[in-house]
Amino acid sequence: MKIQRHKHKPTKVPSPNYILVDDDNCDSVFPQMEDLDIVALDIETTGLDPYEADILLIQIGNDRNQYIFDMKKFTNVDKLINYIRTRKYIIGHNLKFDLKFLFHNCG
C-alpha cells in the first residue's frame, strides 16, 4: 500500500485590527461596531467570583476588528452593555462566566 502525502500551502490569515476604546473615541467607534451582528466576546477579570472580582478588560469583535475596552479608563458602561444585549449572536469560550460577570458588575 502506498501512502500519498498532500502538499498544501499554509493559508495566511490576516491579523485583525485592534482598536482601544476609551471615553474620548467611543462616539466614533460605536457606529463602526453597529453593523456587527455576530461578535466574539471575552473579558479579563481580577478573579473568578463575579461578586468579589472586578472586570479589567472587555474585548468584542470579529475576524477584522477587535475592540478593546479598558474598564479602568472606559466609563460609558451602559452604552457598552446595551450594545452587547442587542447583538444577534455572541460567540465566546466561556460565555456563561463572561455574561454573569458583565451583568452583575455592569448592569
Side-chain angles (χ1 to χ4, degrees):
M1 178 187 330
K2 188 174 183 180
I3 298 175
Q4 288 186 325
R5 296 192 185 270
H6 294 282
K7 294 180 183 179
H8 60 50
K9 294 181 182 179
T11 304
K12 186 175 180 181
V13 177
S15 296
N17 298 309
Y18 294 97
I19 299 110
L20 184 59
V21 184
D22 57 29
D23 289 340
D24 294 333
N25 68 356
C26 74
D27 288 337
S28 64
V29 171
F30 272 94
Q32 297 172 23
M33 296 169 56
E34 273 307 315
D35 65 339
L36 303 177
D37 286 335
I38 302 171
V39 296
L41 171 70
D42 188 33
I43 68 170
E44 302 301 328
T45 66
T46 59
L48 299 176
D49 184 352
Y51 303 102
E52 298 289 328
D54 296 319
I55 297 174
L56 297 172
L57 181 130
I58 299 174
Q59 185 168 333
I60 300 170
N62 62 9
D63 59 334
R64 290 184 299 275
N65 294 313
Q66 290 292 315
Y67 301 93
I68 302 166
F69 298 82
D70 180 346
M71 299 311 286
K72 301 279 186 204
K73 298 178 183 175
F74 184 74
T75 60
N76 202 342
V77 177
D78 291 339
K79 189 170 190 169
L80 178 58
I81 294 301
N82 186 52
Y83 173 81
I84 293 169
R85 284 186 172 154
T86 59
R87 296 307 92 195
K88 190 171 186 178
Y89 298 102
I90 300 173
I91 300 167
H93 177 68
N94 190 355
L95 270 180
K96 183 177 180 181
F97 173 85
D98 292 347
L99 294 175
K100 191 176 197 178
F101 252 95
L102 280 173
F103 295 124
H104 173 72
N105 286 281
C106 303

